[in-house]
Each structure stands twice: as structure tokens, then as C-alpha cells.
Amino acid sequence: MSSNVIDLVGPERSPRSSHAPRVLIYSHDTFGLGHIRRCRAIANALVASFPHISVIIVSGSSVISSFQFGDGVDYVRIPGVEKQSDGHYGPHHLNLELDDTIRLRTDIIKQTVLSFDPDVVIVDKEPVGLRGELKPALDILRRRGARIVLGLRDVLDEPGKLLEEWRHSGALEALDTIYDDVFVYGLESVYEPLAGLPDQQHFSAKTRYLGYLKRAVPSPMPPNRYPRITKQPFILVTPGGGGDGAGVIDWVISAYEADPTIALPALIVFGPFMSREKRKDFAERIARNPKLEGLGFEPRLELLMNRAHCVVAMGGYNTFCEILSFDKPALVVPRVRPRLEQAIRAHRAEELGLIDVLADPAQDGDGVRDPMVMAAALHALPKRLPPSQAFVPDLLDGLPAICRALAENLSSPVRTRALAPSVALS
């Protein structure tokens, strides 16, 4: 698995044209960084392969402006909605009721669809959007003849819970009647995210397993401003967005406090959603340990992943893709609440020999994190074989596979979709 590929480098900017194909990517973004980072990777891959097209990402992410996008990619920021640890939602910033916020988001999405008029729409994970906010836009897109694609990560949740959620939201009906394609960003041999749903014949024919989304070193390279630890072999510790990663970080710091013989130092990246109080407490403990350094938020985490010798992380989809892409020995401590997604992914990857997994006993509420258990895992981690030695074929073919799958709609410099006069403005 080569990691020397550079992201966002391509030919000179394509001439602008109002007649070139257009892609809209929807990402509800209620928690963490996973959805926007996945959509960003897809958008950048599309404009690299089809530089004449335009891509708009509709996102609720509060940190979307921190990320680099290729020429031809822009975004529409809808009001943020925050997912709580118990799985419930609330407005992130606005002093509105949730229903009012959803209504506002729905109107913005609908107007964006009407004005931008995409030829291809990729919906990330939620078939009808958050609380059905995407339904009016999907109706317009269906009437206009756009190609509508549902993009799914490799694991959604345990089958029973997914069935309950999708049946209640109307997602099952949309899967059957609205979507032209279902793209799974993973391999069927690794996991089948829709295996527990009924009436498989309604969508199995339009489901494609494309492979995981390979990540690249961002470009242009920034000045060398990283902590001193990065100038030598080090362990990168990342909890993703950080909103639910305090337990992993606490466990790692405790291991270094309990066992000063751990060979490699560690750089801990908190993530933008970790609470100020937790970050302050961790920073004080890190400052007292010569083998630890901390960093707040790094939107180009790929740079650090590429430099690191090995990685300790939670089991989110995007971090998993980065571990595979940069071929790093990894120890994954998966989250088990409010979804089992990370645990399912991590244990399946461990079965395939891609990573090592360490269960967090405190997540069940009655266990205690033993610092020496983590210390033993950190001693063993640098000796672990990288994921490439598991020899899983076509593991990271996701991005080129997406481009191949959409080439019929995007390769021409002129839009080929013919709009009927009666639906052109509706």
C-alpha cells in the first residue's frame, strides 16, 4: 500500500462552463468529523478525474471551512445539529427548537437543489436525511431525472437496530423507490451493511461494493510546525473528532504515567469537539510527561498519520481508511455506544489481520481501565505487521471505483441530461 501519493494536485484549472455536469453531495453531519471527511475525499477525487465538473457539498459540519477542497468544489453550510451521547439530537448553535432547525435546513437544501440542479446526487449514509429533511429535495431530483446515489460506509450498525431506524424514518421505502444506486465504501468480503434488511431483492441489484476510500498526503505541504516528537518514530493517538474520545486518551496517558519504559513517545491529537475542560486536564498531564505531546485540531491529519510509526485510534471509518492508506500498525479501541458500528468494524478487521483491537472495559459502565493493560499493548504495537501484510485484494479501490461508476454521467464536458419543460423549474 503506497502512501507517497499527494492529494489535490492535478492539471491546470478547467475552463468554467455553465453546461458542464454538476454533482451534489449531502452530508447531515451531526457528530464528529467522519461524514464531512468522507464527502471531501469523494468530491476531491471526482474533480481530479473530471476537472470540468462542479461539486457542491451540503453539510451541517461546523468545521467544514477548515478543510482543503479541490478546484471545482464548494460547500453550502446548513445550520448544525448536534448528536448527544444518548443518540438524541439538538441544535448546535441556534436558540431554536429542533423542529424549527430541521425546517430551516430542509428549505436550504431544497433551494440549493433547485438552483444548482445537479446531474448526480450522492447522499451520505442517511437515505432521507436527518429526520426526513432530504425528502422534498429527493422528490425534485427524481422528477428532474438526476442520478441519485446512496453512499454507505462499510458498517452502519447492528442489523436489528438499523432495520428499526430505517423502517421508522421511511428509509426502506426510499431505498426501493428513490435510489438508482447504492455504493458501499467497503468490501462485501469484509462486511455487508444491509444484510439484515428485508426485501433484499428490491435493492441488491443496485448495490455495488467499491472498496475503502484511500487517503493521500495533503498538498501543498505546510511549514514544519509540528511538535518535536514528530522528528523521531512516534505513536499517533487520535480520537477522531474527539467528542467521545476522552476515554481512549485518558487510558493512553495513564499508561505512560504508570510505565515510563514504553519505548516510543506519543503525540495525542485531541480533535475539535473535545470539551475544553477535558482538553485542559489532558494538556496538564501531558506537560508533566517527557514522552507525551499534545495537539488540538489538525484538519490535515493525514500528514501526521504519514509521519507516525504506528497509531492508536478509535474505530471510525475515516481513521480506519487512513490506517490502511498509510499502512500503519494500529491498535483500535472502538466505541460501543450509541452504536456498535466501530466495534463491528474493528473486530472484523482484526479477524482479517489488519489491526489489533483492545476493548475498553469502562464503556460498559462497570469496568476499570488498567493502565498496565494499555502499556502492554503500546509495547507490542511497534512490532505489529502493517495492514498490507494481511493481503486483502482490492481493499483501497473505493475512490477510483466511484469515478468509474459515475463516468457515464460526468465524463462529457457538456451536461447530457435532458430536462422535460414541465419539471425544469420544479
Side-chain angles (χ1 to χ4, degrees):
M1 299 181 189
S2 174
S3 62
N4 60 357
V5 61
I6 303 296
D7 195 9
L8 302 179
V9 172
E12 292 186 7
R13 181 165 190 151
S14 179
R16 292 179 174 89
S17 170
S18 60
H19 303 292
R22 302 173 185 182
V23 178
L24 185 142
I25 301 176
Y26 163 84
S27 173
H28 70 293
D29 289 295
T30 59
F31 190 79
L33 298 174
H35 300 286
I36 186 56
R37 294 181 68 205
R38 180 163 57 246
C39 292
R40 169 195 175 272
I42 293 168
N44 286 342
L46 289 175
V47 295
S49 294
F50 311 106
H52 55 285
I53 71 171
S54 292
V55 180
I56 281 183
I57 300 174
V58 177
S59 169
S61 172
S62 61
V63 295
I64 188 171
S65 61
S66 301
F67 293 94
Q68 284 183 302
F69 296 96
D71 288 339
V73 181
D74 211 333
Y75 59 88
V76 171
R77 165 83 160 87
I78 54 179
V81 174
E82 189 174 29
K83 187 175 184 179
Q84 311 295 335
S85 60
D86 61 1
H88 290 90
Y89 298 97
H92 193 187
H93 296 294
L94 295 176
N95 296 319
L96 296 176
E97 297 293 334
L98 178 60
D99 288 345
D100 293 331
T101 304
I102 295 296
R103 191 176 303 114
L104 178 57
R105 285 166 58 108
T106 300
D107 290 344
I108 294 172
I109 295 167
K110 179 180 175 181
Q111 188 56 53
T112 302
V113 164
L114 286 168
S115 299
F116 187 56
D117 186 30
D119 302 274
V120 174
V121 176
I122 303 174
V123 174
D124 186 65
K125 181 183 174 287
E126 296 291 342
V128 295
L130 178 64
R131 294 207 167 193
E133 68 184 4
L134 201 56
K135 288 180 180 178
L138 289 172
D139 290 340
I140 294 169
L141 292 162
R142 184 81 280 163
R143 293 197 303 269
R144 289 186 169 193
R147 182 174 177 180
I148 307 177
V149 177
L150 177 63
L152 301 177
R153 65 192 183 212
D154 58 343
V155 183
L156 296 172
D157 201 350
E158 54 186 319
K161 189 171 183 179
L162 179 66
L163 174 58
E164 178 184 355
E165 288 182 0
W166 279 22
R167 181 177 282 154
H168 176 73
S169 69
L172 287 178
E173 181 182 356
L175 196 63
D176 181 23
T177 61
I178 295 292
Y179 284 91
D180 300 298
D181 306 274
V182 179
F183 291 173
V184 179
Y185 309 135
L187 295 180
E188 189 172 9
S189 60
V190 176
Y191 194 79
E192 299 178 48
L194 303 182
L197 299 183
D199 301 321
Q200 294 276 322
Q201 70 276 9
H202 291 168
F203 54 85
S204 58
K206 53 187 172 186
T207 300
R208 308 188 193 191
Y209 288 84
L210 304 181
Y212 290 87
L213 307 181
K214 185 173 184 177
R215 305 308 165 85
V217 180
S219 177
M221 301 293 281
N224 188 354
R225 54 183 174 81
Y226 291 126
R228 58 175 178 79
I229 276 180
T230 63
K231 299 183 184 299
Q232 58 184 307
F234 69 98
I235 300 172
L236 174 66
V237 182
T238 169
D244 56 356
V248 175
I249 289 180
D250 175 70
W251 203 2
V252 170
I253 295 175
S254 297
Y256 278 90
E257 291 170 339
D259 184 358
T261 69
I262 298 172
L264 293 186
L267 173 63
I268 299 172
V269 181
F270 299 131
F273 303 121
M274 181 165 289
S275 72
R276 186 176 302 175
E277 294 76 15
K278 287 289 186 183
R279 187 180 301 195
K280 181 175 182 295
D281 174 63
F282 290 147
E284 291 173 352
R285 293 169 65 189
I286 288 170
R288 295 194 291 267
N289 195 304
K291 288 190 175 180
L292 297 175
E293 291 200 47
L295 199 62
F297 171 42
E298 175 50 68
R300 292 177 289 188
L301 190 69
E302 299 93 341
L303 288 167
L304 290 173
M305 187 78 71
N306 191 44
R307 287 171 176 241
H309 183 278
C310 46
V311 177
V312 176
M314 298 176 69
Y317 177 85
N318 290 280
T319 303
F320 182 60
C321 286
E322 289 163 352
I323 288 168
L324 300 180
S325 300
F326 299 109
D327 205 22
K328 300 299 178 178
L331 174 68
V332 170
V333 185
R335 181 182 70 210
V336 298
R337 292 192 306 266
R339 297 184 181 275
L340 286 177
E341 168 226 338
Q342 291 192 4
I344 293 170
R345 175 181 300 111
H347 289 296
R348 184 70 186 108
E350 185 177 45
E351 290 173 2
L352 294 170
L354 296 167
I355 60 169
D356 287 332
V357 175
L358 185 61
D360 182 353
Q363 288 201 44
D364 294 328
D366 55 359
V368 177
R369 300 183 185 102
D370 184 344
M372 296 310 295
V373 170
M374 175 60 76
L378 295 176
H379 277 291
L381 181 57
K383 305 168 189 174
R384 195 202 188 283
L385 292 175
S388 60
Q389 296 305 299
F391 302 110
V392 179
D394 304 318
L395 190 62
L396 287 166
D397 197 38
L399 291 175
I402 292 171
C403 295
R404 291 193 298 268
L406 298 178
E408 178 182 352
N409 303 90
L410 304 180
S411 57
S412 172
V414 179
R415 306 175 77 176
T416 57
R417 177 170 56 96
L419 298 181
S422 62
V423 300
L425 297 177
S426 63

